[in-house]
Amino acid sequence: MSYLAKPTLHHPKLPVNKLGYTRRDYEGAVSTLCAGCGHDSISAAIIQACFELDLPPHRIAKVSGIGCSSKTPTYFLGNSHGFNSVHGRMPSVLTGANLANRDLIYLGVSGDGDSASIGLGQFAHCMRRGVNMVYIVENNGVYGLTKGQFSATSDKGSKSKRGVVNTDSAIDLVSMALQLGATFVARSFSGDKAQLVPLIKAAILHRGAAFIDCISPCVAFNNHAGSTKSFDFVREHNEAVNFLDVIVGRDSIAVDYAPGTVVEVRQHDGSILRLRKVVAEYDPHNRVVALNYLQERQAAGEFATGLLYVEPEPEDLHAHLNTVETPLNRLTEAELCPGSAALERFNAAHR
Amino acid sequence: MPKPIARINDFVVKFANVNGSGSASANQLFARAILRMGVPATPRNIFPSNIQGLPTWYEVRISEAGYLGARGGIDLMVAMNPQTWDKDVAGIEPGGYLFYDSSKPLPESKFRDDINVIGVPLTEICNRAYTDARQRQLFKNIMYVGALSALLEVDSAEIEKLIGEQFAGKDKLIAPNVAAFRMGRDYALSNLDCPIGLRVRRAAAVGDRIFVDGNSAAALGCVYGGATVAAWYPITPSSSLAEAFTRHCRRYRVGREDGKSRYAIIQAEDELASIGIVIGAAWNGARAFTATSGPGISLMQEFLGLAYFAEIPAVLFDVQRAGPSTGMPTRTQQGDVLSCAYASHGDTKHVLLFPEDPHECFEFGAAAFDLADRLQTPVFVLLDLEIGMNERLCAPLAWDDARRMDRGKVMTFEDLESGKEFGRYLDVDGDGIPYRTYPGTHPKRGAFFTRGTSRDRHARYSEEGPVYADNMQRLLRKFETAKGLVPKPVLHPARHSTRLGAIYYGSTSPAMQEALDALESDGTCVDALRVRAFPFRDEVIDFIAAHDEVFVVEQNRDAQLRMLLVNEGGIDPARLIPVLHYDGTPITARFIAGEIAKKLAAFNVTPLRKVVS
């Protein structure tokens, strides 16, 4: 049996959040991924973020495609509905789910094969539509489940475990998301929980298309010398542009920072994203600057990480469609069916 | 010269036009005026896959007897397209009529001596009356309708009234259109022998029937059926279904007070995304559908297997066209029966509905959502271009205000709270249909993980053989349950008892009715059964058992429904005789009756007319 439930017993003094849930209430089944897989760290970060934001687990819907990354929704948020759909098609399934019920929080989990190859089209169109979701790509540059083929995010010149050199150009999903109109774009590293957890929290609070490219080394097939997605390589070349604190409600703590070193972004729900700048000239509200900066760092062989772009007042797909506040899946006959009298008028107009 | 055809309320008029010339609304005016006179008229658009400049035809069959199928042959050709002149003229029945624009003289070789030629200098009259090029073009169309009204005795008052209705709200346009109409009519009255042998005479054969296209009716069925999410990708001949849904929603689904939309329509990037959106929405408890055609169904295959296996209630409208590949995108066919019935990899079977006309497009359109929710599986409504894109006279649409949506087996918060056992794939009452929960229902209970991989009755991942097989068996039980829920077939017994039967479905219906009458008047009695759904109900199998030979009439090359009957009904193929029409034109009564007669002769079967004592 490849499904393992975790024991439900836990220490009576485990901390609880405002809803009375412990961190354990946000966990899922035991992971069946390889020991040390970066993806498990991302699952842990998601659990942490949801716990800290006091989210009711059942109000979150997890949707994924196919691949190692897409398996992970089984390993977190066991009290949430999940949907492991088909390869590369998480965005469309999530879009439909979001249209049906705008009140849930949507967490789309995908990988680099899922989003940059087979599902590149769906990734692009879901970003440009502004679906209110968190879109996490657990990016390891390799096909794990099929044993180590290059993926479309593998850097040109990087070496596979068997020593083959990749000759194709890499697809940079972060740049694409920026070009396509995503209103929240971040990059992080599975090995940097301190950076990742606040980014996930901020993405959840963001009402629009929030994209996180999370570099997540594959311990089985892409963690060797010559790979540009190994733990060592990413640690050496990770260049954070900022650090993020997510301040929800009355948690607000006044801290003095030197002028020009902090940017605060107030979200629609009153929460505040406080960005502590690392790169002084980096402006996370300017798409063009963000794109230029990313290209420069990439040319220098570095990964720029952090919150790369955020629109303080995003619009989502529901706003574009002007849909009613009540979730569509709760509307009844009275709101949906025009009735026999209207049909009689329709008939009369067609005689 | 044969005698000019003389017929009242029973003839075919065909208009040859250039597409993009604005002829469609004039031609429709002609057909609707005849309907307003109480005479059934069935128009058909015959058009190329093109925007502007290529030939297009509009054929109107006028039949007081009520035959709405294509007949074949042309009694009056309105030849407005020089490009197709030769072919158009050649298609006229001997003794028939040719109406043309006589502004420019044509050599005698361009005509036939066995037809009646009626020339009206339309361009000349137009050029005299109008200076603007677009006006000249548009009013020329209305003008020939005027001339035809005089030649065929179509009530001019009805046409003028229709012009008024058509331009209601744009009142400025009424007078000039009426003027153009009268210009054509007056010319004919004072210069031609009116009427000709073909005439329309007021009758009472239309009744309360309505005139609507199947795509629009199906889309209205979606509104009444409670669909809130639609995702689609443009493809002929289904685009007008999605567009009609948009139109209907703007009218019926926008809150009067808040101005908010109680629907969401996405024009997706492709058919894969369309069905993905539908599946996501349906998983989350909304009623959702897509509209597509054969190539779209091909693209959706992987997702359809997921929906079947994960048990998601998706609704698909497949407005069929001639395939394979791009085939003939603007021609009709029933070519997707098999690809829908068994869509996707692995063992799959899907529910199909076959509406015969716009009335059933509406009815099945709404019913498909109940069926999909009840059965938690994809349901396909198989229209075709013939009924989807043509306006058709049909019974008025009806709705019972007491009707409620059947959302199927859904566990609520209260159910879960009361401690009812929930297993997503648990068959609690033997019908093969398990309970589901919508995401977000209960904080602690009822959450499950939906996946296309195998899992046990409680939705837990499993690769165990017996667990997998158990689930596949349950899906078969569910398909058995579907048999009792889908629309029953409709039996048309012959006047006298017979051992011959015929099975048909979908848009073949009107031609079949007419063919059965023709066969009967020639002494061949055939019991006919109109199949309305797959899986086949027992009535279908019983009907075959009760007859020695059964003709299966279809509009495809490979006898796809017959294959399904053989396969699913365990029927001896020798007893099912295919009658197949698949050239992209709609099937005709002449074809059906001719094929059946020919096959009977070949089998050396002497039709028995049993005397009922």
Side-chain angles (χ1 to χ4, degrees):
Chain A
M1 196 90 171
S2 39
Y3 172 91
L4 295 169
K6 279 184 192 169
T8 47
L9 284 174
H10 57 71
H11 194 278
K13 283 187 183 153
L14 264 187
V16 293
N17 63 14
K18 281 187 187 149
L19 296 177
Y21 291 116
T22 69
R23 201 183 164 284
R24 296 289 311 276
D25 292 317
Y26 294 85
E27 290 180 354
V30 173
S31 170
T32 59
L33 300 177
C34 310
C37 177
H39 296 358
D40 284 333
S41 311
I42 301 173
S43 296
I46 292 171
I47 291 167
Q48 189 68 24
C50 294
F51 170 75
E52 287 179 10
L53 283 175
D54 306 310
L55 299 176
H58 72 298
R59 304 303 294 169
I60 304 166
K62 314 165 283 184
V63 186
S64 62
I66 294 291
C68 289
S69 56
S70 291
K71 287 173 104 177
T72 63
T74 311
Y75 317 136
F76 57 82
L77 298 172
N79 283 320
S80 306
H81 274 68
F83 197 160
N84 193 180
S85 65
V86 294
H87 200 15
R89 317 296 171 209
M90 172 278 282
S92 64
V93 174
L94 190 145
T95 301
N98 182 297
L99 291 175
N101 185 356
R102 61 188 301 171
D103 280 359
L104 300 185
I105 291 162
Y106 293 92
L107 194 52
V109 179
S110 182
D112 40 310
D114 207 51
S115 279
S117 287
I118 191 168
L120 188 62
Q122 295 219 337
F123 159 75
H125 289 277
C126 143
M127 287 295 117
R128 53 182 280 270
R129 285 192 188 106
V131 180
N132 182 13
M133 69 182 291
V134 180
Y135 192 135
I136 300 182
V137 169
E138 306 188 349
N139 185 357
N140 56 17
V142 77
Y143 285 84
L145 275 180
T146 53
K147 316 273 184 245
Q149 299 81 4
F150 282 122
S151 87
T153 62
S154 288
D155 289 307
K156 197 171 183 170
S158 79
K159 241 187 222 163
S160 79
K161 201 176 177 182
R162 284 178 226 138
V164 181
V165 175
N166 179 30
T167 54
D168 297 343
S169 296
I171 288 175
D172 178 26
L173 292 171
V174 159
S175 300
M176 286 193 72
L178 279 167
Q179 283 174 337
L180 292 162
T183 46
F184 179 110
V185 179
R187 180 149 55 205
S188 190
F189 169 43
S190 65
D192 187 352
K193 202 171 174 185
Q195 183 190 48
L196 183 56
V197 172
L199 283 175
I200 293 173
K201 286 165 75 176
I204 289 173
L205 295 173
H206 181 80
R207 189 178 285 184
F211 178 70
I212 303 175
D213 177 26
C214 190
I215 299 163
S216 174
C218 172
V219 288
F221 296 105
N222 210 6
N223 199 27
H224 47 269
S227 158
T228 57
K229 295 229 168 22
S230 66
F231 276 108
D232 289 346
F233 189 93
V234 178
R235 279 204 187 96
E236 278 160 32
H237 297 82
N238 179 353
E239 215 186 53
V241 295
N242 49 34
F243 292 106
L244 174 66
D245 301 308
V246 179
I247 303 150
V248 181
R250 277 166 293 175
D251 295 350
S252 185
I253 307 155
V255 186
D256 284 336
Y257 288 100
T261 60
V262 163
V263 184
E264 288 201 341
V265 185
R266 185 173 286 275
Q267 308 254 97
H268 70 279
D269 62 350
S271 61
I272 293 167
L273 308 184
R274 179 176 292 157
L275 285 164
R276 284 171 282 134
K277 287 187 170 187
V278 175
V279 178
E281 74 275 14
Y282 193 83
D283 176 5
H285 295 328
N286 190 323
R287 248 178 230 281
V288 179
V289 167
L291 271 164
N292 278 336
Y293 185 80
L294 284 171
Q295 301 303 312
E296 277 170 29
R297 295 326 301 152
Q298 206 170 309
E302 306 287 335
F303 305 98
T305 59
L307 179 50
L308 302 171
Y309 178 75
V310 62
E311 216 161 281
E313 284 178 30
E315 259 199 4
D316 83 330
L317 181 58
H318 280 284
H320 299 156
L321 296 174
N322 192 33
T323 39
V324 67
E325 289 303 318
T326 314
L328 294 177
N329 70 352
R330 284 220 296 271
L331 298 177
T332 63
E333 286 85 357
E335 288 128 339
L336 298 177
C337 184
S340 62
L343 200 55
E344 267 319 308
R345 286 194 292 277
F346 180 88
N347 285 332
H350 289 79
R351 285 190 175 115
Chain B
M1 168 80 197
K3 242 180 100 198
I5 298 173
R7 268 197 229 119
I8 295 168
N9 289 355
D10 180 23
F11 55 92
V12 173
V13 182
K14 191 169 182 176
F15 299 82
N17 302 99
V18 176
N19 74 352
S21 69
S23 57
S25 62
N27 296 345
Q28 199 208 41
L29 191 65
F30 173 80
R32 293 195 68 190
I34 294 168
L35 286 171
R36 288 285 175 93
M37 290 174 70
V39 181
T42 311
R44 286 182 173 78
N45 289 294
I46 304 150
F47 58 100
S49 184
N50 180 260
I51 308 293
Q52 203 178 45
L54 284 189
T56 156
W57 293 268
Y58 187 80
E59 187 183 289
V60 185
R61 179 174 189 190
I62 295 137
S63 165
E64 190 179 343
Y67 293 131
L68 307 179
R71 188 200 72 179
I74 304 150
D75 300 312
L76 166 60
M77 183 77 219
V78 181
M80 304 304 295
N81 185 358
Q83 244 181 306
T84 57
W85 175 274
D86 293 341
K87 200 178 148 209
D88 291 338
V89 171
I92 302 169
E93 301 269 298
Y97 302 82
L98 168 68
F99 178 99
Y100 80 111
D101 180 355
S102 60
S103 304
K104 253 206 288 191
L106 284 167
E108 217 165 296
S109 62
K110 285 286 181 189
F111 298 92
R112 272 166 55 185
D113 54 12
D114 61 342
I115 56 170
N116 307 285
V117 178
I118 306 159
V120 175
L122 292 166
T123 307
E124 207 180 291
I125 305 174
C126 266
N127 288 358
R128 232 180 301 140
Y130 308 103
T131 49
D132 176 73
R134 186 66 188 157
Q135 277 189 339
R136 282 175 174 175
Q137 176 59 54
L138 288 176
F139 287 130
K140 188 154 67 170
N141 300 323
I142 298 290
M143 213 173 275
Y144 69 63
V145 174
L148 291 175
S149 77
L151 291 163
L152 303 174
E153 288 192 328
V154 179
D155 192 339
S156 63
E158 292 290 9
I159 297 188
E160 292 188 12
K161 203 170 139 212
L162 280 165
I163 293 175
E165 290 173 23
Q166 189 183 337
F167 295 109
K170 295 178 235 163
D171 292 6
K172 271 203 315 233
L173 296 174
I174 298 174
N177 275 282
V178 169
F181 168 74
R182 286 187 185 159
M183 230 182 280
R185 182 174 170 84
D186 292 344
Y187 178 89
L189 286 172
S190 36
N191 296 288
L192 304 169
D193 281 338
C194 295
I196 57 170
L198 307 173
R199 287 177 216 176
V200 184
R201 194 161 60 199
R202 200 167 273 280
V206 169
D208 68 345
R209 281 185 284 180
I210 61 165
F211 186 61
V212 67
D213 63 282
N215 282 352
S216 173
L220 193 62
C222 296
V223 173
Y224 275 73
T228 50
V229 176
W232 65 292
Y233 185 74
I235 181 171
T236 305
S238 76
S239 305
S240 62
L241 200 162
E243 283 162 351
F245 183 69
T246 312
R247 218 168 44 239
H248 296 323
C249 280
R250 280 196 193 124
R251 175 152 188 195
Y252 299 114
R253 287 278 193 78
V254 177
R256 215 163 281 156
E257 273 122 51
D258 61 4
K260 294 278 188 184
S261 301
R262 298 195 286 255
Y263 62 93
I265 301 169
I266 302 286
Q267 186 190 314
E269 60 270 31
D270 54 29
E271 285 89 347
L272 287 82
S274 303
I275 190 67
I277 290 169
V278 168
I279 287 170
W283 171 75
N284 213 1
R287 290 194 149 183
F289 75 95
T290 186
T292 188
S293 190
I297 296 290
S298 295
L299 285 169
M300 295 176 187
Q301 296 285 309
E302 186 184 17
F303 254 133
L304 288 168
L306 174 78
Y308 173 79
F309 199 54
E311 301 182 66
I312 313 287
V315 173
L316 297 94
F317 292 88
D318 176 5
V319 189
Q320 300 165 95
R321 61 190 221 184
S325 189
T326 312
M328 293 199 284
T330 59
R331 309 296 157 143
T332 198
Q333 208 169 71
Q334 297 176 320
D336 302 340
V337 176
L338 278 178
S339 70
C340 290
Y342 298 130
S344 204
H345 52 280
D347 292 323
T348 55
K349 294 183 202 226
H350 303 289
V351 175
L352 317 179
L353 305 177
F354 307 112
E356 66 164 343
D357 67 356
H359 177 85
E360 279 192 347
C361 288
F362 172 79
E363 199 179 292
F364 292 0
F369 293 95
D370 281 349
L371 274 171
D373 266 345
R374 171 56 49 187
L375 293 163
Q376 297 176 21
T377 200
V379 173
F380 296 73
V381 187
L382 290 185
L383 290 76
D384 58 19
L385 185 144
E386 166 74 354
I387 46 173
M389 286 189 74
N390 289 310
E391 287 168 302
R392 179 66 47 83
L393 204 56
C394 65
L397 310 182
W399 192 259
D400 176 2
D401 287 327
R403 177 168 165 178
R404 289 292 166 264
M405 292 189 264
D406 175 11
R407 300 306 317 261
K409 294 181 178 174
V410 181
M411 278 210 185
T412 61
F413 175 85
E414 290 73 25
D415 291 333
L416 295 164
E417 188 65 16
S418 72
K420 260 193 199 169
E421 187 190 6
F422 173 69
R424 174 63 184 100
Y425 301 108
L426 201 60
D427 185 6
V428 288
D429 42 19
D431 62 2
I433 308 169
Y435 275 85
R436 62 175 181 145
T437 52
Y438 299 149
T441 301
H442 191 282
K444 297 268 183 191
R445 296 176 189 151
F448 65 95
F449 206 75
T450 305
R451 55 178 114 233
T453 36
S454 56
R455 68 274 144 151
D456 67 9
R457 293 173 179 185
H458 286 85
R460 286 176 302 224
Y461 183 90
S462 169
E463 292 177 14
E464 297 294 328
V467 170
Y468 167 81
D470 172 67
N471 185 59
M472 292 303 283
Q473 284 299 321
R474 183 182 53 75
L475 287 171
L476 264 191
R477 280 204 299 284
K478 187 165 91 165
F479 207 61
E480 276 299 310
T481 303
K483 280 186 189 173
L485 296 176
V486 297
K488 286 185 181 152
V490 179
L491 177 70
H492 294 277
R495 209 183 302 256
H496 306 287
S497 81
T498 172
R499 300 296 298 166
L500 292 177
I503 281 177
Y504 65 101
Y505 59 99
S507 71
T508 303
S509 202
M512 192 70 201
Q513 293 305 317
E514 189 179 352
L516 290 169
D517 288 354
L519 286 164
E520 202 156 286
S521 67
D522 288 342
T524 307
C525 283
V526 182
D527 290 332
L529 189 77
R530 182 163 69 86
V531 171
R532 300 201 294 169
F534 176 75
F536 302 118
R537 293 184 66 113
D538 294 342
E539 292 93 330
V540 179
I541 309 305
D542 295 346
F543 176 85
I544 297 169
H547 294 85
D548 295 335
E549 259 108 22
V550 177
F551 297 98
V552 185
V553 184
E554 304 189 55
Q555 300 185 58
N556 58 59
R557 185 194 69 180
D558 290 345
Q560 299 190 16
L561 192 89
R562 179 175 171 273
M563 274 195 234
L564 274 186
L565 286 165
V566 168
N567 201 27
E568 300 287 330
I571 290 158
D572 173 8
R575 298 183 47 223
L576 298 178
I577 306 151
V579 174
L580 304 169
H581 180 90
Y582 52 89
D583 66 0
T585 63
I587 196 165
T588 63
R590 286 179 187 180
F591 175 85
I592 300 171
E595 283 294 299
I596 290 182
K598 209 159 68 190
K599 285 177 198 279
L600 282 176
F603 289 131
N604 206 10
V605 175
T606 325
L608 283 179
R609 184 183 289 195
K610 280 197 186 159
V611 180
V612 184
S613 50

